Amino acid sequence: MNDALTRARAFAVLTHGEQKYGDQPYSVHLDAVVEILVPFGEEARVVGYLHDVAEDTPVTLETLRDEFGERVAKLVGLVTDEPGKNRRERKARTNAKLAAVGAEDALALIVKAADRLANLRASAKGGPDSKLGMYRREHPEFRQAAFRPGLCDDLWREIDEIISPRV
């Protein structure tokens, strides 16, 4: 792992602290997202490690800007859920933000798709903490906001395959 990736992973693991992903350390989720992002390059992986920092920890986008630069902070800001009184409101606001992302920041949409795919893979394994039903309910609005043809079609094919109800 190169220096930027090493720094991003160490920063994310430190700031997420004792936070869990199900019953596992949060780093399990971060590593899963970054593994999906390998074909998309180093910047995607750096953002992948940091994608939940501003949302789930006290770290601000300003701190990320100071530590990792303007571009990384902007991309993390684009994938960070907007505030709201409940999940439905947060997701509606976040989807509106994603729908407005232009080509110059399309990497944020790739990171968001990789995050969703990592969550879906974990949920598809089942168990008491599976959120597959929730992701299925949210999928039409999420897809409409975040999908761009030709951007990361392989990720979306797998997302759609997991989301599709089994018959």
Side-chain angles (χ1 to χ4, degrees):
M1 205 179 307
N2 70 31
D3 186 51
L5 285 175
T6 302
R7 281 190 329 105
R9 186 180 191 284
F11 186 89
V13 169
L14 178 67
T15 57
H16 282 285
E18 298 300 314
Q19 184 181 352
K20 296 288 188 184
Y21 186 76
D23 61 353
Q24 301 175 315
Y26 204 74
S27 61
V28 169
H29 172 62
L30 299 176
D31 290 336
V33 171
V34 169
E35 182 64 30
I36 292 167
L37 292 169
V38 165
F40 300 99
E42 179 183 318
E43 186 177 45
R45 290 179 287 164
V46 168
V47 175
Y49 275 127
L50 300 171
H51 78 276
D52 278 336
V53 168
E55 185 175 315
D56 294 341
T57 79
V59 172
T60 65
L61 291 175
E62 183 177 309
T63 299
L64 286 177
R65 190 173 296 111
D66 292 345
E67 293 290 327
F68 297 97
E70 181 67 37
R71 172 105 172 123
V72 168
K74 180 180 184 184
L75 294 170
V76 171
L78 288 170
V79 300
T80 298
D81 274 359
E82 291 296 304
K85 63 183 178 201
N86 55 43
R87 183 176 175 91
R88 172 177 285 233
E89 188 176 291
R90 287 190 309 273
K91 294 302 177 182
R93 289 178 177 176
T94 302
N95 286 339
K97 178 174 62 173
L98 294 173
V101 170
E104 70 279 1
D105 295 321
L107 192 58
L109 300 173
I110 295 170
V111 172
K112 197 69 170 177
D115 178 33
R116 181 58 58 103
L117 179 54
N119 286 329
L120 286 168
R121 284 176 177 173
S123 291
K125 292 178 184 173
D129 293 333
S130 176
K131 297 178 180 173
L132 194 53
M134 175 190 70
Y135 290 126
R136 282 187 173 132
R137 288 187 298 278
E138 293 175 351
H139 184 67
E141 292 83 12
F142 175 70
R143 192 179 207 291
Q144 184 175 0
F147 175 73
R148 303 294 190 279
L151 186 60
C152 55
D153 291 344
D154 289 346
L155 303 187
W156 282 101
R157 270 190 286 281
E158 188 175 347
I159 288 169
D160 290 341
E161 181 179 305
I162 295 171
I163 286 292
S164 297
R166 307 284 186 236
V167 284

